Amino acid sequence: MVERANKPKPPTLAATPGLPPQPTVTFSDDNSRVTAVLPTGESVEVLLYGATVISWKDAAGDEKLWVSEAARLDGSKPVRGGIPLVFPVFGPPPSQAEHPQTAGLSQHGFARSSRWEFLGKSTSESLMGPGKGATDHGAVKLDFGLSSGSEGLDPQARAHWPFKFNLIYSVLLSRESLTTSIVATNDDDKPWDCHVLMHTYLRVKDINKVEITGLDKASYIDKVDGAKTKTEESGKLTITGETDRVYSPVDGPVCVVENGETTYSVTRDNLSNVVVWNPWADKAAGMGDFAPKDGYKNMLCIEPGSVSTWQSVEAGDAFEGAQTITIHQ
């Protein structure tokens, strides 16, 4: 699914002379983030801390992700907003008795609190094949790496998750979509378990006018109602209060509909769950890094992942999963 790209040599990766306009990839002055821009204007920005996507804009410059105004982007704590990557545990860690492998970790694991290495870029010609890439130049892929030997690995991981692993995380920007994918390889001599989730904060205009489709008849765990298992009876789910549900939908896209028009569709590859989350007013008020406090009206988390059960990865094997978010305009 994911190519392992070589490390780039120059700090700024420019287009090859003589070719039509190509996507550009640049680094911030402090080397804390990477930005890719298509010739048509679409862009994505990734913070190396957590390999967190913190911006995704269409050709008109309209932001598609919600990031809290109080989010820290200096590497001091995980980012509230964008697309944080959850691995190897989702939510608060279980007890030692429930799952000793992850009991000592912090909420949502260490992928979002480690500094990743930028491995390189691929552009349209290599992604789309001869001919097509040479004419539309409509995609760029950024690869990031984190392993048990990485200097940027959260110290907590070394102390509490002493397994050998290698993660490759890829962010693929095209004119109408954004794909994030992960390959988690077990380099140890024994199996380990993991959760994987892409905690995507989509920007919406008014949560009160949003409907979610693609979840009809799906079973879900309602974390707001004592983790009861329920079945979604509505073909169009609306958000009217604090919502925290882990769905196990059938194959097919989950769509966000605003004022009767589909604005996003989210498809999954080898990810069995979709978490739908919105903190609503009271919970947002109690989160120190959530701002503005009424920001819940302009965000909706649609989070593809595999978190309802543990994914057991045998020695030498790998778990792969991906999401694609498509913009409908």
Side-chain angles (χ1 to χ4, degrees), residues 19-328:
L19 289 178
Q22 293 283 313
T24 60
V25 177
T26 57
F27 296 83
S28 62
D29 290 341
D30 61 357
N31 289 321
S32 67
R33 60 190 70 184
V34 183
T35 301
V37 183
L38 300 184
T40 44
E42 296 85 355
S43 66
V44 66
E45 186 173 4
V46 185
L47 195 67
L48 291 181
Y49 182 79
T52 305
V53 180
I54 56 174
S55 176
W56 172 34
K57 295 180 180 178
D58 63 16
D62 293 330
E63 181 62 63
K64 300 303 175 183
L65 301 177
W66 185 89
V67 176
S68 169
E69 293 177 2
R72 295 184 184 176
L73 305 180
D74 59 359
S76 61
K77 65 176 297 185
V79 177
R80 172 71 64 188
I83 310 179
L85 178 61
V86 173
F87 177 93
V89 61
F90 171 62
S95 68
Q96 185 71 24
E98 291 173 320
H99 196 260
Q101 285 189 7
T102 57
L105 297 177
S106 59
Q107 177 161 305
H108 292 331
F110 55 79
R112 66 181 190 145
S113 58
S114 297
R115 183 181 171 94
W116 292 59
E117 183 179 7
F118 179 58
L119 301 179
K121 73 162 186 176
S122 305
T123 54
S124 298
E125 290 181 319
S126 57
L127 291 169
M128 299 181 175
K132 183 175 180 180
T135 56
D136 70 2
H137 306 283
V140 60
K141 180 166 71 72
L142 308 176
D143 291 327
F144 303 87
L146 182 71
S147 73
S148 46
S150 295
E151 292 183 3
L153 183 63
D154 187 333
Q156 183 199 58
R158 300 185 194 279
H160 297 288
W161 210 68
F163 300 102
K164 293 180 180 179
F165 66 91
N166 185 65
L167 306 180
I168 303 293
Y169 185 59
S170 298
V171 178
L172 171 62
L173 172 69
S174 67
R175 295 191 63 182
E176 296 179 348
S177 67
L178 185 73
T179 298
T180 60
S181 57
I182 188 170
V183 179
T185 302
N186 183 349
D187 288 338
D188 215 301
D189 58 3
K190 53 187 172 295
W192 43 252
D193 298 341
C194 67
H195 290 154
V196 172
L197 180 127
M198 297 162 192
H199 200 312
T200 308
Y201 289 72
L202 294 174
R203 180 176 289 275
V204 298
K205 293 180 180 178
D206 183 353
I207 192 65
N208 294 295
K209 298 179 181 179
V210 167
E211 297 174 329
I212 305 165
T213 64
L215 298 172
D216 191 29
K217 307 305 180 186
S219 65
Y220 67 92
I221 299 169
D222 191 342
K223 298 173 73 174
V224 175
D225 188 16
K228 294 178 182 177
T229 299
K230 303 178 181 180
T231 300
E232 182 57 62
E233 300 295 347
S234 173
K236 294 182 178 180
L237 172 66
T238 57
I239 307 297
T240 58
E242 181 185 350
T243 303
D244 192 354
R245 301 177 178 182
V246 181
Y247 283 90
S248 297
V250 296
D251 293 338
V254 175
C255 297
V256 177
V257 180
E258 300 185 60
N259 289 312
E261 300 289 336
T262 299
T263 52
Y264 304 101
S265 61
V266 181
T267 57
R268 294 163 291 130
D269 183 357
N270 199 38
L271 298 174
S272 57
N273 302 121
V274 173
V275 176
V276 177
W277 182 75
N278 185 291
W280 215 250
D282 289 346
K283 189 158 189 175
M287 292 190 288
D289 62 351
F290 194 100
K293 292 305 180 185
D294 64 352
Y296 70 90
K297 298 177 181 178
N298 303 117
M299 54 75 62
L300 173 66
C301 285
I302 303 292
E303 314 167 27
S306 288
V307 296
S308 59
T309 59
W310 292 101
Q311 306 303 310
S312 182
V313 184
E314 298 295 325
D317 204 351
F319 175 84
E320 303 184 29
Q323 68 164 345
T324 297
I325 313 164
T326 302
I327 302 171
H328 298 265

